[in-house]
Amino acid sequence: MRKTLGMQRGWGQQIVFLGPCLLFFLTIVVTPFFLGFYYSSTDWNGLDLDKAVWTGAANWKRIFMNDDKFWESLVFTLRFTVISVVAANVLALLLAFILMTTLKTKKLLRTIFFMPNVIGGILLGYIWQFIFTKGFATIGELTGISFFQLPWLGTPSTGFWGLVIVFVWQTAGYMMVIYIAGLAGIPKDLIEAARIDGARAPQLFKSVYIPLIMPAITICLFLTTSNAFKMFDLNLSLTKGGPGTSTQSLAYNIYAEALINNRYGLGTAKALLFFAAVSLITVTQVWLTKRKEVSA
């Protein structure tokens, strides 16, 4: 009897504390997600629910057979993700190693490198838009350096690299903090023992540091991969997918389909494919890097 009353009290406490959160989660996240499966098979303008006409697999056929812009956006996003993830993590790890030394200004430098992550993506994009179009142009006129005279947001190639530069600049500082935490957890006696055995810097990096900070690498790769694949705010504020649609990310393509072209059904179908792609890529990445983790 007492055991039953205890269990009932336990369930009651859990409902009181978790119930409101669970209700909000079901209302805001789960329900719209499953409604998306229905709307992905309709022709709907996003305004009138009565005008959501069931079209079956028409949207899916259009995506796979007659939507070149979607696949161009996917290729652009994959290319952007690979380059940005590698560049951001290499830069972050390099900064982490530098700022783990006995520099007197290391705390100040950590703050400075972390600050771009605090700025919102839209605001950051407009700041860099001014830098690319006005700042670089002025420096180019004064110095004659061709790098600053490039039409940074005016061509598909320079627009792509402009997005990469801003994304890496924004992301590297946050990843740096995670790598610093991972490096700080490596036992110093292990490093000293490796040095006594004759291990040089490249061997230390490959055989000691990398295996022992693998949990940090897993987290950083997961965050940078998912953020790069979902990149939208920088795309919107910097290039708006232009010139034409040459720098249009997958997230921006979905936004344009739903909110600019008013084809919510087609946009929802693309969003579901987008969700599946991000999930598959990130889960695979985490599974692969988790297998390489070791304990100190």
Side-chain angles (χ1 to χ4, degrees):
M1 184 67 177
R2 290 181 179 178
K3 187 176 180 181
T4 305
L5 288 172
M7 289 178 65
Q8 288 176 351
R9 284 182 182 177
W11 279 106
Q13 290 173 352
Q14 290 177 21
I15 291 171
V16 168
F17 286 105
L18 297 178
C21 296
L22 183 61
L23 179 62
F24 278 112
F25 180 76
L26 290 172
T27 305
I28 297 172
V29 178
V30 177
T31 303
F33 177 77
F34 284 105
L35 280 174
F37 285 96
Y38 168 74
Y39 288 119
S40 67
S41 298
T42 63
D43 181 12
W44 182 39
N45 62 6
L47 299 174
D48 239 338
L49 285 173
D50 297 335
K51 294 182 180 179
V53 181
W54 179 265
T55 57
N59 288 331
W60 302 98
K61 288 180 180 178
R62 178 170 179 171
I63 293 171
F64 284 102
M65 300 177 66
N66 194 28
D67 197 337
D68 294 337
K69 288 183 179 179
F70 176 80
W71 298 106
E72 288 171 6
S73 298
L74 176 61
V75 171
F76 173 87
T77 303
L78 288 171
R79 182 169 161 242
F80 172 83
T81 299
V82 171
I83 294 173
S84 298
V85 167
V86 172
N89 281 279
V90 169
L91 178 60
L93 191 55
L94 179 63
L95 291 173
F97 271 106
I98 293 172
L99 298 181
M100 282 294 290
T101 59
T102 55
L103 285 172
K104 291 183 180 180
T105 58
K106 65 180 181 181
K107 291 184 179 179
L108 176 63
L109 290 173
R110 289 177 186 181
T111 304
I112 291 171
F113 288 130
F114 182 78
M115 280 179 65
N117 187 73
V118 179
I119 305 173
I122 293 288
L123 177 60
L124 192 68
Y126 285 122
I127 292 171
W128 271 92
Q129 186 186 63
F130 175 80
I131 293 171
F132 281 132
T133 56
K134 302 295 183 182
F136 278 17
T138 303
I139 295 172
E141 289 176 6
L142 294 174
T143 62
I145 300 174
S146 59
F147 175 84
F148 295 105
Q149 295 175 335
L150 293 171
W152 275 101
L153 304 178
T155 68
S157 177
T158 54
F160 171 83
W161 287 107
L163 287 168
V164 170
I165 289 169
V166 179
F167 180 85
V168 171
W169 183 79
Q170 180 188 24
T171 307
Y174 184 69
M175 301 305 122
M176 174 199 71
V177 173
I178 298 174
Y179 282 128
I180 287 174
L183 290 170
I186 298 177
K188 292 182 180 180
D189 55 351
L190 191 63
I191 298 171
E192 291 173 2
R195 285 175 177 164
I196 292 169
D197 288 340
R200 296 185 179 182
Q203 293 173 313
L204 274 174
F205 180 78
K206 180 182 177 181
S207 303
V208 179
Y209 285 111
I210 291 298
L212 293 179
I213 64 167
M214 209 62 205
I217 293 174
T218 299
I219 294 169
C220 289
L221 286 178
F222 171 78
L223 291 174
T224 49
T225 301
S226 59
N227 290 340
F229 210 84
K230 296 184 295 183
M231 188 267 298
F232 168 75
D233 45 10
L234 294 179
N235 201 191
L236 176 66
S237 55
L238 271 176
T239 65
K240 289 185 173 62
T245 58
S246 58
T247 62
Q248 190 178 83
S249 69
L250 203 52
Y252 190 89
N253 179 269
I254 295 167
Y255 158 81
E257 197 70 75
L259 297 174
I260 297 177
N261 300 333
N262 290 328
R263 291 194 286 257
Y264 271 73
L266 184 58
T268 304
K270 289 183 177 184
L272 290 173
L273 283 176
F274 182 59
F275 169 78
V278 173
S279 300
L280 179 63
I281 290 170
T282 52
V283 167
T284 303
Q285 172 262 308
V286 170
W287 177 72
L288 289 173
T289 51
K290 276 280 185 184
R291 295 175 63 190
K292 297 181 181 295
E293 291 183 10
V294 297
S295 56

